[in-house]
mmCIF file with all atom_site columns, all heavy atoms in Angstrom:
data_model
loop_
_atom_site.group_PDB
_atom_site.id
_atom_site.type_symbol
_atom_site.label_atom_id
_atom_site.label_alt_id
_atom_site.label_comp_id
_atom_site.label_asym_id
_atom_site.label_entity_id
_atom_site.label_seq_id
_atom_site.pdbx_PDB_ins_code
_atom_site.Cartn_x
_atom_site.Cartn_y
_atom_site.Cartn_z
_atom_site.occupancy
_atom_site.B_iso_or_equiv
_atom_site.pdbx_formal_charge
_atom_site.auth_seq_id
_atom_site.auth_comp_id
_atom_site.auth_asym_id
_atom_site.auth_atom_id
_atom_site.pdbx_PDB_model_num
ATOM 1  N N   . PHE F 1 10 ? 40.608 19.459 115.505 1.00 0.00 ? 35 PHE F N   1
ATOM 2  C CA  . PHE F 1 10 ? 40.063 18.109 115.376 1.00 0.00 ? 35 PHE F CA  1
ATOM 3  C C   . PHE F 1 10 ? 40.057 17.692 113.918 1.00 0.00 ? 35 PHE F C   1
ATOM 4  O O   . PHE F 1 10 ? 39.505 18.377 113.060 1.00 0.00 ? 35 PHE F O   1
ATOM 5  C CB  . PHE F 1 10 ? 38.642 18.025 115.942 1.00 0.00 ? 35 PHE F CB  1
ATOM 6  C CG  . PHE F 1 10 ? 38.025 16.668 115.711 1.00 0.00 ? 35 PHE F CG  1
ATOM 7  C CD1 . PHE F 1 10 ? 38.523 15.548 116.358 1.00 0.00 ? 35 PHE F CD1 1
ATOM 8  C CD2 . PHE F 1 10 ? 36.965 16.499 114.828 1.00 0.00 ? 35 PHE F CD2 1
ATOM 9  C CE1 . PHE F 1 10 ? 37.981 14.288 116.138 1.00 0.00 ? 35 PHE F CE1 1
ATOM 10 C CE2 . PHE F 1 10 ? 36.404 15.244 114.605 1.00 0.00 ? 35 PHE F CE2 1
ATOM 11 C CZ  . PHE F 1 10 ? 36.911 14.139 115.263 1.00 0.00 ? 35 PHE F CZ  1
ATOM 12 N N   . ASP F 1 11 ? 40.673 16.558 113.662 1.00 0.00 ? 36 ASP F N   1
ATOM 13 C CA  . ASP F 1 11 ? 40.664 15.942 112.341 1.00 0.00 ? 36 ASP F CA  1
ATOM 14 C C   . ASP F 1 11 ? 40.107 14.533 112.530 1.00 0.00 ? 36 ASP F C   1
ATOM 15 O O   . ASP F 1 11 ? 40.689 13.736 113.260 1.00 0.00 ? 36 ASP F O   1
ATOM 16 C CB  . ASP F 1 11 ? 42.081 15.897 111.780 1.00 0.00 ? 36 ASP F CB  1
ATOM 17 C CG  . ASP F 1 11 ? 42.155 15.289 110.390 1.00 0.00 ? 36 ASP F CG  1
ATOM 18 O OD1 . ASP F 1 11 ? 41.152 14.698 109.945 1.00 0.00 ? 36 ASP F OD1 1
ATOM 19 O OD2 . ASP F 1 11 ? 43.221 15.385 109.758 1.00 0.00 ? 36 ASP F OD2 1
ATOM 20 N N   . PRO F 1 12 ? 38.975 14.191 111.918 1.00 0.00 ? 37 PRO F N   1
ATOM 21 C CA  . PRO F 1 12 ? 38.361 12.877 112.138 1.00 0.00 ? 37 PRO F CA  1
ATOM 22 C C   . PRO F 1 12 ? 39.122 11.712 111.513 1.00 0.00 ? 37 PRO F C   1
ATOM 23 O O   . PRO F 1 12 ? 38.770 10.548 111.751 1.00 0.00 ? 37 PRO F O   1
ATOM 24 C CB  . PRO F 1 12 ? 36.979 13.029 111.488 1.00 0.00 ? 37 PRO F CB  1
ATOM 25 C CG  . PRO F 1 12 ? 37.154 14.082 110.447 1.00 0.00 ? 37 PRO F CG  1
ATOM 26 C CD  . PRO F 1 12 ? 38.164 15.042 111.024 1.00 0.00 ? 37 PRO F CD  1
ATOM 27 N N   . ASP F 1 13 ? 40.155 11.989 110.744 1.00 0.00 ? 38 ASP F N   1
ATOM 28 C CA  . ASP F 1 13 ? 40.929 10.929 110.112 1.00 0.00 ? 38 ASP F CA  1
ATOM 29 C C   . ASP F 1 13 ? 41.641 10.099 111.173 1.00 0.00 ? 38 ASP F C   1
ATOM 30 O O   . ASP F 1 13 ? 42.476 10.611 111.921 1.00 0.00 ? 38 ASP F O   1
ATOM 31 C CB  . ASP F 1 13 ? 41.945 11.548 109.142 1.00 0.00 ? 38 ASP F CB  1
ATOM 32 C CG  . ASP F 1 13 ? 42.652 10.507 108.284 1.00 0.00 ? 38 ASP F CG  1
ATOM 33 O OD1 . ASP F 1 13 ? 42.442 9.300  108.516 1.00 0.00 ? 38 ASP F OD1 1
ATOM 34 O OD2 . ASP F 1 13 ? 43.419 10.909 107.388 1.00 0.00 ? 38 ASP F OD2 1
ATOM 35 N N   . ALA F 1 14 ? 41.321 8.810  111.244 1.00 0.00 ? 39 ALA F N   1
ATOM 36 C CA  . ALA F 1 14 ? 41.943 7.932  112.243 1.00 0.00 ? 39 ALA F CA  1
ATOM 37 C C   . ALA F 1 14 ? 43.355 7.522  111.849 1.00 0.00 ? 39 ALA F C   1
ATOM 38 O O   . ALA F 1 14 ? 44.089 6.947  112.662 1.00 0.00 ? 39 ALA F O   1
ATOM 39 C CB  . ALA F 1 14 ? 41.084 6.686  112.443 1.00 0.00 ? 39 ALA F CB  1
ATOM 40 N N   . ASP F 1 15 ? 43.758 7.810  110.623 1.00 0.00 ? 40 ASP F N   1
ATOM 41 C CA  . ASP F 1 15 ? 45.073 7.420  110.134 1.00 0.00 ? 40 ASP F CA  1
ATOM 42 C C   . ASP F 1 15 ? 46.076 8.532  110.436 1.00 0.00 ? 40 ASP F C   1
ATOM 43 O O   . ASP F 1 15 ? 46.279 9.447  109.638 1.00 0.00 ? 40 ASP F O   1
ATOM 44 C CB  . ASP F 1 15 ? 44.998 7.152  108.628 1.00 0.00 ? 40 ASP F CB  1
ATOM 45 C CG  . ASP F 1 15 ? 46.314 6.610  108.073 1.00 0.00 ? 40 ASP F CG  1
ATOM 46 O OD1 . ASP F 1 15 ? 47.154 6.182  108.886 1.00 0.00 ? 40 ASP F OD1 1
ATOM 47 O OD2 . ASP F 1 15 ? 46.484 6.627  106.838 1.00 0.00 ? 40 ASP F OD2 1
ATOM 48 N N   . ALA F 1 16 ? 46.711 8.454  111.595 1.00 0.00 ? 41 ALA F N   1
ATOM 49 C CA  . ALA F 1 16 ? 47.699 9.454  111.997 1.00 0.00 ? 41 ALA F CA  1
ATOM 50 C C   . ALA F 1 16 ? 49.102 8.972  111.661 1.00 0.00 ? 41 ALA F C   1
ATOM 51 O O   . ALA F 1 16 ? 49.321 7.806  111.310 1.00 0.00 ? 41 ALA F O   1
ATOM 52 C CB  . ALA F 1 16 ? 47.578 9.737  113.490 1.00 0.00 ? 41 ALA F CB  1
ATOM 53 N N   . LEU F 1 17 ? 50.073 9.865  111.766 1.00 0.00 ? 42 LEU F N   1
ATOM 54 C CA  . LEU F 1 17 ? 51.452 9.515  111.440 1.00 0.00 ? 42 LEU F CA  1
ATOM 55 C C   . LEU F 1 17 ? 52.042 8.513  112.419 1.00 0.00 ? 42 LEU F C   1
ATOM 56 O O   . LEU F 1 17 ? 52.920 7.717  112.069 1.00 0.00 ? 42 LEU F O   1
ATOM 57 C CB  . LEU F 1 17 ? 52.316 10.781 111.407 1.00 0.00 ? 42 LEU F CB  1
ATOM 58 C CG  . LEU F 1 17 ? 51.965 11.783 110.299 1.00 0.00 ? 42 LEU F CG  1
ATOM 59 C CD1 . LEU F 1 17 ? 52.836 13.026 110.420 1.00 0.00 ? 42 LEU F CD1 1
ATOM 60 C CD2 . LEU F 1 17 ? 52.147 11.140 108.928 1.00 0.00 ? 42 LEU F CD2 1
ATOM 61 N N   . ILE F 1 18 ? 51.597 8.569  113.667 1.00 0.00 ? 43 ILE F N   1
ATOM 62 C CA  . ILE F 1 18 ? 52.088 7.651  114.697 1.00 0.00 ? 43 ILE F CA  1
ATOM 63 C C   . ILE F 1 18 ? 50.914 6.802  115.171 1.00 0.00 ? 43 ILE F C   1
ATOM 64 O O   . ILE F 1 18 ? 49.867 7.333  115.560 1.00 0.00 ? 43 ILE F O   1
ATOM 65 C CB  . ILE F 1 18 ? 52.705 8.402  115.886 1.00 0.00 ? 43 ILE F CB  1
ATOM 66 C CG1 . ILE F 1 18 ? 53.825 9.336  115.405 1.00 0.00 ? 43 ILE F CG1 1
ATOM 67 C CG2 . ILE F 1 18 ? 53.246 7.420  116.921 1.00 0.00 ? 43 ILE F CG2 1
ATOM 68 C CD1 . ILE F 1 18 ? 54.385 10.218 116.503 1.00 0.00 ? 43 ILE F CD1 1
ATOM 69 N N   . THR F 1 19 ? 51.076 5.495  115.135 1.00 0.00 ? 44 THR F N   1
ATOM 70 C CA  . THR F 1 19 ? 50.031 4.571  115.557 1.00 0.00 ? 44 THR F CA  1
ATOM 71 C C   . THR F 1 19 ? 50.363 4.029  116.942 1.00 0.00 ? 44 THR F C   1
ATOM 72 O O   . THR F 1 19 ? 51.492 3.576  117.167 1.00 0.00 ? 44 THR F O   1
ATOM 73 C CB  . THR F 1 19 ? 49.911 3.397  114.574 1.00 0.00 ? 44 THR F CB  1
ATOM 74 O OG1 . THR F 1 19 ? 49.593 3.908  113.281 1.00 0.00 ? 44 THR F OG1 1
ATOM 75 C CG2 . THR F 1 19 ? 48.826 2.425  115.015 1.00 0.00 ? 44 THR F CG2 1
ATOM 76 N N   . PRO F 1 20 ? 49.425 4.089  117.893 1.00 0.00 ? 45 PRO F N   1
ATOM 77 C CA  . PRO F 1 20 ? 49.726 3.571  119.230 1.00 0.00 ? 45 PRO F CA  1
ATOM 78 C C   . PRO F 1 20 ? 49.940 2.065  119.208 1.00 0.00 ? 45 PRO F C   1
ATOM 79 O O   . PRO F 1 20 ? 49.276 1.333  118.460 1.00 0.00 ? 45 PRO F O   1
ATOM 80 C CB  . PRO F 1 20 ? 48.480 3.941  120.047 1.00 0.00 ? 45 PRO F CB  1
ATOM 81 C CG  . PRO F 1 20 ? 47.387 4.107  119.036 1.00 0.00 ? 45 PRO F CG  1
ATOM 82 C CD  . PRO F 1 20 ? 48.048 4.631  117.801 1.00 0.00 ? 45 PRO F CD  1
ATOM 83 N N   . SER F 1 21 ? 50.881 1.617  120.000 1.00 0.00 ? 46 SER F N   1
ATOM 84 C CA  . SER F 1 21 ? 51.148 0.185  120.140 1.00 0.00 ? 46 SER F CA  1
ATOM 85 C C   . SER F 1 21 ? 51.021 -0.201 121.599 1.00 0.00 ? 46 SER F C   1
ATOM 86 O O   . SER F 1 21 ? 51.280 0.605  122.491 1.00 0.00 ? 46 SER F O   1
ATOM 87 C CB  . SER F 1 21 ? 52.548 -0.155 119.621 1.00 0.00 ? 46 SER F CB  1
ATOM 88 O OG  . SER F 1 21 ? 53.536 0.547  120.358 1.00 0.00 ? 46 SER F OG  1
#
Side-chain angles (χ1 to χ4, degrees):
F35 175 68
D36 181 348
D38 189 354
D40 185 15
L42 295 177
I43 304 174
T44 300
S46 61

